[in-house]
Amino acid sequence: MKAHINTYCIERKQILPVGLEQAWQFFSNPANLRSITPPWLDFTITSKIPEVIYPGLIMTYRNRPLGGIAVSWVSEITHVQAPYYFVDEQQSGPYRFWHHQHLLKVSDTGVDVIDTVNYQLPLGVIGMALHTVWVKPRLDEIFRFRYHALAHYFDETSNERKQNEKLN
């Protein structure tokens, strides 16, 4: 008997006080990924990366979600519609399936950043049990860190821009 595989979904929305182009410049540069990833993951990009993503880009990285145990991950940028959205999909790594859509939408107060992640875990029933006690709480923690890192980064950037406008 085959265990039913659940597909889980995380949706997060954050409003950044910047314009669409500025938000896109940040999110489309793979080097910025480390700055919005919690330090405890020890996230390291192990492949050569361009300054801007493009469809078909393959990136490899390593992180340590289980203490000191290194996990390799290969992802592909499968869709890009600049400056509005892109999708990264895991090609190999810890998940059975991982599809992450990054959507940027202009709003009255700046740019809405909307992340939608659909994923499946390996190991059948064991993976489903691990989801509740470990995987979901860790992903929530990662997205909380990301939320605060982005708020800090774009608040600092917005303040610098305002200071420069006052000087000119």
Side-chain angles (χ1 to χ4, degrees):
M1 184 168 135
K2 193 171 183 179
H4 175 71
I5 297 172
N6 287 336
T7 300
Y8 303 100
C9 183
I10 296 174
E11 294 180 320
R12 296 290 186 271
K13 179 180 174 183
Q14 181 170 6
I15 301 169
L16 300 176
V18 297
L20 183 61
E21 286 301 322
Q22 186 178 1
W24 180 256
Q25 284 177 357
F26 181 86
F27 286 103
S28 65
N29 183 340
N32 289 329
L33 189 52
R34 184 171 172 87
S35 68
I36 60 173
T37 303
W40 54 262
L41 272 175
D42 190 25
F43 178 83
T44 305
I45 296 174
T46 56
S47 59
K48 191 174 180 178
I49 54 170
E51 289 182 16
V52 177
I53 59 170
Y54 56 85
L57 173 63
I58 301 290
M59 296 189 304
T60 62
Y61 29 93
R62 182 194 74 240
N63 62 45
R64 298 179 189 278
L66 301 168
I69 300 171
V71 174
S72 296
W73 188 311
V74 177
S75 67
E76 178 181 1
I77 303 298
T78 57
H79 302 83
V80 177
Q81 186 177 347
Y84 302 105
Y85 79 90
F86 68 95
V87 174
D88 68 84
E89 295 182 7
Q90 175 192 282
Q91 298 303 315
S92 70
Y95 293 87
R96 182 170 185 180
F97 171 77
W98 178 274
H99 180 276
H100 184 178
Q101 178 179 279
H102 311 255
L103 178 64
L104 305 176
K105 284 176 52 177
V106 176
S107 70
D108 293 340
T109 55
V111 173
D112 295 349
V113 179
I114 303 164
D115 288 287
T116 305
V117 180
N118 290 284
Y119 62 99
Q120 294 175 345
L121 298 172
L123 306 175
V125 175
I126 295 169
M128 290 177 358
L130 286 173
H131 181 260
T132 302
V133 298
W134 191 72
V135 176
K136 183 175 183 328
R138 284 292 220 167
L139 289 173
D140 287 341
E141 188 176 347
I142 290 166
F143 274 96
R144 265 192 311 279
F145 180 90
R146 177 186 166 134
Y147 181 94
H148 292 294
L150 287 168
H152 178 76
Y153 176 84
F154 282 104
D155 185 50
E156 292 292 317
T157 303
S158 179
N159 287 338
E160 285 176 24
R161 192 175 69 247
K162 288 175 188 171
Q163 287 295 336
N164 287 335
E165 288 171 0
K166 286 180 184 178
L167 294 173
N168 293 330

